[in-house]
Amino acid sequence: MKVTVVSRSGREIVKGGLDLHDSATVSDLQETIHGRCKKYYPSRQRLTLPLPPGSKERPTVLNPKKKIQDYCDGNLDNLTVTFKDLGPQVSYRTLFFWEYFGPLVIYPIFYYFPVYKLFGYEGERAIHPVQTYAMYYWCFHYFKRIMETFFVHRFSHATSPLANVFRNCAYYWSFGSVIAYYVNHPLYTPVNDLQMKIGFGFGIICQISNFYCHLILKNLRSTDGSSGYQIPRGFLFNIVTCANYTTEIYQWLGFNIATQTIAGYTFLVVATFIMTNWALAKHRRLKKLFDGKEGRTKYPRRWVILPPFL
Ligand SMILES: NC(=O)c1ccc[n+]([C@@H]2O[C@H](COP(=O)([O-])OP(=O)(O)OC[C@H]3O[C@@H](n4cnc5c(N)ncnc54)[C@H](OP(=O)(O)O)[C@@H]3O)[C@@H](O)[C@H]2O)c1
């Protein structure tokens, strides 16, 4: 069969089209495009069915696992697909590794090295116990996230645009630096002992719970690379859809109760805002997938992220 690959403006991407065997999959088509245009490796390609001019509908995205003929709609000899270049891609693991690596390394620099001399603070710096515990707590958190990225999460998307690495690193690395600067500052005033213990104690319980939530999410997907969504059940997921975000937010709350800086609380507010938006989208997606119609399971009644408010 003949496949014509055009851009959204109608320009032919592969001159003369491509000949593929009748049982070829969309993945085979992507490999063939890559063979002809080296720059466009499969994860950089977004293939859709062309829409009639002026249509406001969303185009059908071709699933790499499906056969090309599944999209032919009657004419099995010819198919035209629309190609979009998604730009350079990196794996999700690479993206997550670099965004977490920054805070993991930057924070101890402020703790261990005479950084504050650069800011005009001469003389010895007395280190309070809370600053030491905060450094271990912080490093444990980001080390855990890197380990989870490599050994726990089963991502459904293979890659993310390279530009996201710079955007996400800017977010994590800058907040990490500012929080490290204030918590380790020579003029830092510690909270009382009880408040510190409550904060770190609560935070550690939430970090362990967050890890357990990630194990539950991991077990929703089998090892054969399936990327579908299931209803998360068990532990806090019986109450809230995004229990992993809830515990993430609470563990930052624990850190801030113990360290009490404006920078830390600002990060907590921004992270809560970001995760709330994602949680609302995830909750909506699960309710749509599990709508209780035509034999499908109905999504149970649950909070989204922060019970009893949302
Ligand atoms: N401090 C912050 O600003 C901040 C922000 C975001 C995240 N985080 C932390 O980083 C962790 C990971 O973040 P994330 O946004 O990647 O979390 P996520 O999307 O909720 O999920 C983690 C993993 O579980 C999978 N998953 C989620 N729901 C699923 C379902 N219903 N069925 C099957 N698989 C499902 C996801 O697959 P997909 O690949 O399909 O999504 C992903 O691989 C969070 O839990 C949180 O602890 C922190």
Side-chain angles (χ1 to χ4, degrees), residues 146-167:
I146 291 177
M147 290 298 115
E148 287 172 344
T149 298
F150 286 104
F151 303 111
V152 180
H153 296 319
R154 288 181 179 149
F155 300 107
S156 58
H157 307 285
T159 61
S160 159
L162 175 65
N164 287 353
V165 176
F166 299 103
R167 186 198 61 190

Side-chain angles (χ1 to χ4, degrees), residues 107-164:
Y107 196 101
I109 292 175
F110 282 86
Y111 179 84
Y112 283 111
F113 295 99
V115 175
Y116 294 92
K117 288 206 185 348
L118 302 173
F119 296 97
Y121 294 94
E122 297 298 334
E124 278 307 294
R125 182 176 140 241
I127 296 179
H128 303 283
V130 64
Q131 292 173 311
T132 305
Y133 297 139
M135 196 268 297
Y136 286 126
Y137 183 100
W138 180 280
C139 290
F140 171 72
H141 176 74
Y142 281 102
F143 178 74
K144 165 182 162 295
R145 282 223 222 167
I146 291 177
M147 290 298 115
E148 287 172 344
T149 298
F150 286 104
F151 303 111
V152 180
H153 296 319
R154 288 181 179 149
F155 300 107
S156 58
H157 307 285
T159 61
S160 159
L162 175 65
N164 287 353

Side-chain angles (χ1 to χ4, degrees), residues 89-97 150 155 157-160 165:
Q89 301 285 304
V90 292
S91 75
Y92 261 83
R93 293 208 160 91
T94 307
L95 170 72
F96 277 26
F97 172 77
F150 286 104
F155 300 107
H157 307 285
T159 61
S160 159
V165 176

